[in-house]
Amino acid sequence: KILGVNEQNLSLYIEELGKTLGEELITPTKIYVKPMLELINAGLVKAIAHITGGGFYENIPRMLPEGARAHIIRENVPVLPIFKLLARLGTVSEEDMFGTFNMGVGMCFVVSPENAEKSLEILKKLGENAFVIGEVKEGEKGVDIC
């Protein structure tokens, strides 16, 4: 609805995307099986969340036990250009964007702090653009983006 998608708009080149709107919208979903299995087989994973519809606020709490709260550092989330475009054109609040979309973070792995670097190394060797976006602390089950 925000983009008013029609045949004309789909062929429109959008500088901030570096491609046409149509090309951006047909970009295939990333499959995370191989990196997920590598980290699991290495014994590094404590929890996993696939960030799909419902964004951060619905998906991340599903992997947390009671008494655990995820603290996401906003500036550590490299928001993809398509989401910046949607937010700007639709005047959508950041809270609503993070509550609806994955913002470019398709999969979250929870690992112990002492295993973070090793996990990043494994993921980067597999060609993944992996990064630390936050930490899990004690608290009411849920997510804070700060």
Side-chain angles (χ1 to χ4, degrees):
K1 190 172 183 179
I2 291 171
L3 299 173
V5 175
N6 59 41
E7 193 172 322
Q8 194 173 21
N9 288 351
L10 290 174
S11 61
L12 182 65
Y13 181 84
I14 299 177
E15 186 68 37
E16 66 192 283
L17 300 178
K19 57 180 88 169
T20 68
L21 179 59
E23 290 169 324
E24 179 67 24
L25 295 178
I26 64 166
T27 301
T29 299
K30 184 146 182 63
I31 305 299
Y32 297 97
V33 174
K34 187 172 182 179
M36 186 170 54
L37 289 174
E38 289 285 333
L39 291 183
I40 290 170
N41 290 336
L44 300 171
V45 176
K46 291 182 165 230
I48 300 172
H50 188 206
I51 312 302
T52 59
F56 284 60
Y57 297 113
E58 286 184 25
N59 293 290
I60 292 175
R62 291 183 185 140
M63 72 172 165
L64 299 174
E66 289 301 324
R69 189 164 189 88
H71 294 267
I72 306 300
I73 302 164
R74 167 59 187 90
E75 57 199 35
N76 287 5
V77 178
V79 177
L80 292 178
I82 186 65
F83 298 117
K84 292 177 184 178
L85 179 70
L86 289 170
R88 188 179 78 248
L89 293 178
T91 60
V92 181
S93 72
E94 187 168 270
E95 182 176 358
D96 285 343
M97 290 297 295
F98 275 87
T100 306
F101 302 105
N102 72 20
M103 305 302 279
V105 176
M107 187 72 70
C108 288
F109 296 98
V110 175
V111 301
S112 298
E114 61 270 12
N115 290 328
E117 279 305 313
K118 183 176 182 180
S119 299
L120 289 172
E121 287 173 21
I122 290 170
L123 292 170
K124 287 180 182 180
K125 282 180 185 173
L126 294 169
E128 299 297 330
N129 182 23
F131 38 86
V132 175
I133 62 170
E135 62 184 331
V136 177
K137 298 180 179 181
E138 286 185 27
E140 183 181 338
K141 187 175 182 175
V143 177
D144 292 318
I145 299 176
C146 37

